[in-house]
Amino acid sequence: MPSDLTQNRPGRAIALKLAAVFLFMVMAAIIKAISDEVPPGQAVFFRSFFAIPVITLWLWQRGQLRYGLIPSNLMGHVWRGLFGTTAMGLTFAGLGLLPLPEVTAIGYATPIFAVIFAALFLGERIRVFRLSAVGLGLIGVLIVIAPRLSVGPDSLSAAATAGALMVLAASVLRALVQIHVRRLVQTDHTAAIVFYFSVTASCIALLSMPVGLVFGHPALLWVVPPGWVIGLLISAGLVGGVAQIMVTSSYRFGGASMLAPFDYASMIFAGIIGYVVFDEIPTGPIIIGAALVIAGGVLIIWRERQLGLDRSKSKPNQTPTGAP
């Protein structure tokens, strides 16, 4: 298994990461725009299936296609696909019920939950500093979703409440995916992880079609959408595939700890796209809560970087495991 060619080019790394974050926001906006036309399961299928050709061409161009087609831990990819696909479906459903900036802000809870799960499942020790950062992030999440959980004459709709809870559940599942991937990279090549997620997500999303027929709920039933919707669905898959390649490529030119804070640029992109396309303006709780969640996330990233430097000093011959 050859190691990926890497170079220390922070400018290119940051540019690729920011481009990927922007394209993911564009993809989210596309899904939101057609949320009234197709059910989330159908949207997940198009997003995953039409990313496969893009990812396949990229792996072929890099000479890694054979590593992407030969998984070492097949069931590991199935579980990763199950968690990731469910998270994607919940997020897509939430996009149809909530403003884009709010979905983005709640999604920032993922690294917070990842720290908790790392302690529970990987045995990582959480000291006071990271515990405080986790608490700060959770307070921010509660501020964002609190208006959706209020009761009274001024409370928002039940649909919006359900949307907030679905996006929060998606954040929990994405954190589980991160923990699972940490184990998966020990046995499988990054190419296989990227490729098989799209494959398993496409297959799992197809299962939502008979589920919709069994339950007969309008929100679950697959439909034959008009041409413009099909075009947007295919575009979401292509854009998502390109974004996935860009975020993976960014780590060839810069470290994960350096690039991680640029994920939060998505709030800027979400605010701009939400305002221009959907006439959405972030509320005070969203801005305040997102700021606290971002602060907690940045503190965790900073602490992880410090711990990584300490480990490298104490174990100079240890080779770190690359992020997918």
Side-chain angles (χ1 to χ4, degrees):
M1 181 185 301
S3 60
D4 291 341
L5 296 176
T6 59
Q7 303 176 40
N8 184 22
R9 303 184 66 175
R12 176 173 293 188
I14 293 170
L16 284 168
K17 186 62 178 289
L18 287 175
V21 171
F22 174 73
L23 288 179
F24 276 127
M25 281 297 102
V26 171
M27 183 201 73
I30 292 173
I31 297 299
K32 181 176 178 61
I34 51 89
S35 59
D36 291 335
E37 304 290 336
V38 296
Q42 190 172 359
V44 170
F45 172 77
F46 275 85
R47 154 66 181 94
S48 304
F49 183 79
F50 284 96
I52 294 175
V54 179
I55 294 171
T56 301
L57 286 174
W58 175 64
L59 294 177
W60 174 77
Q61 186 270 333
R62 296 190 64 191
Q64 295 183 341
L65 185 57
R66 61 176 177 147
Y67 297 107
L69 296 178
I70 305 175
S72 300
N73 184 1
L74 183 59
M75 284 307 301
H77 291 283
V78 172
W79 283 110
R80 186 260 195 270
L82 181 61
F83 291 146
T85 305
T86 305
M88 192 188 305
L90 289 171
T91 302
F92 286 4
L95 283 168
L97 301 171
L98 296 174
L100 184 58
E102 186 171 353
V103 173
T104 304
I106 298 174
Y108 289 154
T110 295
I112 306 297
F113 290 125
V115 172
I116 298 174
F117 292 148
L120 293 175
F121 302 128
L122 300 181
E124 294 185 7
R125 298 180 63 183
I126 302 180
R127 300 186 184 275
V128 175
F129 187 91
R130 281 197 292 173
L131 191 61
S132 301
V134 168
L136 182 65
L138 291 178
I139 291 172
V141 173
L142 289 175
I143 291 175
V144 174
I145 68 174
R148 303 301 188 189
L149 305 178
S150 60
V151 178
D154 296 329
S155 63
L156 298 172
S157 69
T161 299
L165 294 176
M166 284 189 288
V167 177
L168 185 61
S171 299
V172 174
L173 288 172
R174 280 197 298 270
L176 286 173
V177 168
Q178 290 185 6
I179 300 303
H180 188 70
V181 168
R182 289 190 196 182
R183 292 175 172 175
L184 201 56
V185 294
Q186 298 175 9
T187 59
D188 284 70
H189 196 278
T190 301
I193 296 174
V194 172
F195 177 79
Y196 273 97
F197 173 66
S198 293
V199 173
T200 56
S202 300
C203 296
I204 294 171
L206 275 176
L207 298 178
S208 68
M209 181 166 55
V211 168
L213 293 174
V214 170
F215 288 96
H217 194 285
L220 299 176
L221 288 172
W222 282 39
V223 297
V224 180
W228 67 272
V229 174
I230 294 177
L232 287 178
L233 285 169
I234 294 174
S235 298
L238 297 176
V239 170
V242 172
Q244 198 169 348
I245 289 171
M246 283 185 168
V247 74
T248 304
S249 298
S250 67
Y251 293 106
R252 295 177 59 200
F253 303 103
S257 59
M258 180 195 74
L259 291 172
F262 292 96
D263 282 320
Y264 297 113
S266 58
M267 178 54 75
I268 299 174
F269 298 139
I272 295 173
I273 294 174
Y275 178 75
V276 173
V277 179
F278 304 107
D279 197 26
E280 298 170 344
I281 300 177
T283 63
I286 292 177
I287 295 174
I288 295 172
L292 291 177
V293 177
I294 291 172
V298 170
L299 287 174
I300 290 172
I301 292 167
W302 177 83
R303 183 56 178 166
E304 291 287 347
R305 178 176 174 81
Q306 295 302 310
L307 292 174
L309 292 175
D310 292 341
R311 295 188 193 105
S312 64
K313 290 178 181 178
S314 61
K315 299 180 180 181
N317 294 325
Q318 183 178 2
T319 301
T321 302

